Amino acid sequence: AQSVTQLGSHVSVSEGALVLLRCNYSSSVPPYLFWYVQYPNQGLQLLLKYTTGATLVKGINGFEAEFKKSETSFHLTKPSAHMSDAAEYFCAVSDNTDDYKLSFGAGTTVTVRA
Amino acid sequence: DARVTQTPRHKVTEMGQEVTMRCQPILGHNTVFWYRQTMMQGLELLAYFRNRAPLDDSGMPKDRFSAEMPDATLATLKIQPSEPRDSAVYFCASGEGLAQYFGPGTRLTVL
């Protein structure tokens, strides 16, 4: 069974500063990893995903994440925060089977200070 | 721009009433998922379907919840009877392969 731990339920950054959201996973098989973003009163939107191949994955809105197998991590970063990045972010993992079920982390709320 | 749609967006009901939530998946997607989101429990998978067949509904309280896909364009989640603890946002997601695409959710309040 797979699981995800997101370190920090709340992150506050200044506009223009680096955004770093931490995600560690556990999986008995090579995982598929995802980051989703949820804006207030909306559904989750896929930011990026890692399946195989290049370990640095680029997503929408300037976000990227790096898969580090040795650290069982998939941290999300953005070099320069924008006010519109204020949202809740979820890391998710799916094991390497064909049922595509996702296990979500508890989420990290990002606030951006002007 | 294809999207998952859900109706109603908001529902307020009294304890004991039946609630039906509907989802229209993205055309061509063969998997449909139902999730519940609460502050306390976060996102929980309730049930999911592939090619309209239920594959796993172990996350649902069986005595009061039921999920169906009458056809490829409609998925339903019913609660009967509803209880205050069912108050949450219910999301439908559809996918073909790895990525899941979420609808806007139904915010359910049971008084």
Side-chain angles (χ1 to χ4, degrees), chain A residues 32 34 36 38 41-46 49-51 88 90 94-95 97-106, chain B residues 9-10 31 33 35 37 42-43 45 48 50 55-56 58 89 91 96-105 107:
Chain A
Y32 297 146
F34 306 79
Y36 282 84
Q38 185 179 27
N41 299 314
Q42 295 187 26
L44 280 70
Q45 180 182 2
L46 180 65
K49 66 180 185 289
Y50 168 79
T51 55
E88 189 162 18
F90 294 90
S94 176
D95 64 14
T97 66
D98 67 349
D99 66 3
Y100 305 134
K101 287 194 296 185
L102 293 176
S103 294
F104 284 90
Chain B
R9 291 294 312 277
H10 302 272
T31 53
F33 302 81
Y35 293 90
Q37 186 178 40
L43 272 163
L45 177 65
Y48 79 104
R50 181 177 299 147
L55 291 190
D56 186 351
S58 59
V89 181
F91 289 105
E96 186 180 34
L98 289 170
Q100 294 182 24
Y101 297 88
F102 283 71
R107 182 175 296 276

Side-chain angles (χ1 to χ4, degrees), chain B residues 62-89:
Chain B
K62 296 293 191 300
D63 56 338
R64 299 184 300 108
F65 284 59
S66 62
E68 296 179 345
M69 277 201 76
D71 61 60
T73 65
L74 177 64
T76 62
L77 180 66
K78 291 186 181 181
I79 308 174
Q80 170 62 23
S82 58
E83 297 180 1
R85 60 179 167 155
D86 301 328
S87 297
V89 181

Side-chain angles (χ1 to χ4, degrees), chain B residues 5-67:
Chain B
T5 59
Q6 290 185 248
T7 56
R9 291 294 312 277
H10 302 272
K11 176 71 175 180
V12 180
T13 191
E14 294 189 347
M15 183 174 61
Q17 296 299 305
E18 177 178 305
V19 175
T20 298
M21 291 169 271
R22 294 177 173 81
C23 167
Q24 182 173 7
I26 293 172
L27 189 64
H29 284 186
N30 63 354
T31 53
V32 174
F33 302 81
W34 282 105
Y35 293 90
R36 176 170 62 184
Q37 186 178 40
T38 62
M39 289 291 291
M40 294 299 296
Q41 300 296 327
L43 272 163
E44 303 173 276
L45 177 65
L46 298 176
Y48 79 104
F49 296 78
R50 181 177 299 147
N51 296 323
R52 295 178 54 202
L55 291 190
D56 186 351
D57 61 0
S58 59
M60 288 199 315
K62 296 293 191 300
D63 56 338
R64 299 184 300 108
F65 284 59
S66 62

Side-chain angles (χ1 to χ4, degrees), chain A residues 5-17:
Chain A
T5 301
Q6 291 184 239
L7 296 177
S9 60
H10 195 168
V11 169
S12 180
V13 298
S14 297
E15 192 173 19

